[in-house]
Amino acid sequence: MRLPIVKLAALALTAALAFTGAAQAGKIDEIRERGTVRIGVSLGGEPIGFRDDKNNPVGYDVDVATMLAAKLGVPVEFTDVSGDARVSMLVSGQLDIVVANTSATLERAKTVSFSIPYNRAGLRIIVQKDAGIAKLEDLAGKKVVVGRGTTGESFLKKAVPTAELVYTDNFSPDGVLLLQQKRVDAAIEDSSLLDYLATKSDSLVTLPGLYSNDPIGIAVAKGDPEFVRWLDMFVSDYIQSGAYDANYKKWWGEKSNPPALTPLW
């Protein structure tokens, strides 16, 4: 039995609409249907992310992630991630979102999508006061602790190839402990972490200047541009509402100067 052309067209349109609706369901619907959002945070150093005396995740990024979950309307499940794991766990579907001090680089953007910056930092070097290190070139032949798979590692390999790199998967406590025990001469990390660390130790000092100006973005798996658009709107609201300024000063002090951020919306 042949179906009229009009009926065939109607069936085709219905199927197309159904397919489009399924395609547009996206990550937000998936998160809401599950009832939780799985967010990766890096608990490797104060004040970005660490554990309090009750072993609870706390810090600047943890606060941002908590606000994000509240806007989605679901509880948050935190996973401690760092280095390469931040990207691989997104790609494999183990995490929905990463708010883990992740620099939005062109190389990483080949693999994951980023929101507009919710923070900015730059690579800085911290050294032992008595190590005789006054400039970048002085790191030649010195032991420098560096996070595996980080922008700091890539930079130092090019800038000072003769530096002796000491790798860590978690800058805090591992990298911090190496510095405190004077088992390394220096470290390279985000200025947001090292500036804070220098205020807590009399034996450590940061070198002047930054070696990058990194936008820190919220990372998600590729394939859902509408979710990235929503995250851009979230970050824009975070900046314009005053929450960014308040959260930054909560963790770096009232006298700190939050890096300038530009909302998109």
Side-chain angles (χ1 to χ4, degrees), residues 153-164:
E153 176 192 1
S154 301
F155 168 78
L156 212 54
K157 281 183 174 180
K158 294 178 182 178
V160 193
T162 56
E164 183 180 342

Side-chain angles (χ1 to χ4, degrees), residues 90-109:
L90 273 178
V91 174
S92 64
Q94 297 176 70
L95 295 173
D96 301 311
I97 302 168
V98 162
V99 186
N101 199 38
T102 310
S103 299
T105 65
L106 286 173
E107 187 62 31
R108 284 180 179 146

Side-chain angles (χ1 to χ4, degrees), residues 95-258:
L95 295 173
D96 301 311
I97 302 168
V98 162
V99 186
N101 199 38
T102 310
S103 299
T105 65
L106 286 173
E107 187 62 31
R108 284 180 179 146
K110 295 176 183 176
T111 308
V112 296
S113 295
F114 285 98
S115 72
I116 61 172
Y118 71 95
N119 197 7
R120 280 190 176 273
L123 289 176
R124 196 186 291 283
I125 292 169
I126 193 169
V127 303
Q128 306 288 352
K129 282 184 178 179
D130 58 1
I133 301 171
K135 57 186 183 299
L136 179 66
E137 294 76 13
D138 294 339
L139 294 178
K142 301 290 188 178
K143 291 184 177 181
V144 186
V145 62
V146 61
R148 193 185 309 276
T150 62
T151 51
E153 176 192 1
S154 301
F155 168 78
L156 212 54
K157 281 183 174 180
K158 294 178 182 178
V160 193
T162 56
E164 183 180 342
L165 303 189
V166 179
Y167 288 99
T168 178
D169 290 320
N170 294 291
F171 186 77
S172 178
D174 300 337
V176 173
L177 188 61
L178 289 172
L179 283 166
Q180 291 174 336
Q181 294 178 344
K182 293 197 172 185
R183 293 165 61 189
V184 293
D185 303 296
I188 186 167
E189 251 294 351
D190 285 346
S191 56
S192 53
L193 296 175
L194 297 189
D195 288 346
Y196 185 82
L197 178 60
T199 66
K200 302 294 181 180
S201 174
D202 292 333
S203 64
L204 298 171
V205 62
T206 56
L207 297 187
L210 298 178
Y211 299 99
S212 66
N213 183 9
D214 301 328
I216 309 298
I218 298 171
V220 294
K222 283 188 173 296
D224 193 342
E226 289 300 317
F227 189 35
V228 179
R229 181 172 179 266
W230 185 89
L231 289 171
D232 285 343
M233 294 179 73
F234 164 78
V235 176
S236 293
D237 180 71
Y238 172 65
I239 297 167
Q240 292 177 316
S241 68
Y244 164 59
D245 189 75
N247 193 29
Y248 196 95
K249 290 184 176 181
K250 170 184 175 181
W251 293 104
W252 278 275
E254 284 298 322
K255 294 183 179 180
S256 63
N257 295 306

Side-chain angles (χ1 to χ4, degrees), residues 64-82:
V64 174
T66 301
M67 294 178 206
L68 197 160
K71 293 293 185 182
L72 287 168
V74 294
V76 59
E77 294 178 5
F78 286 120
T79 298
D80 184 9
V81 294
S82 59

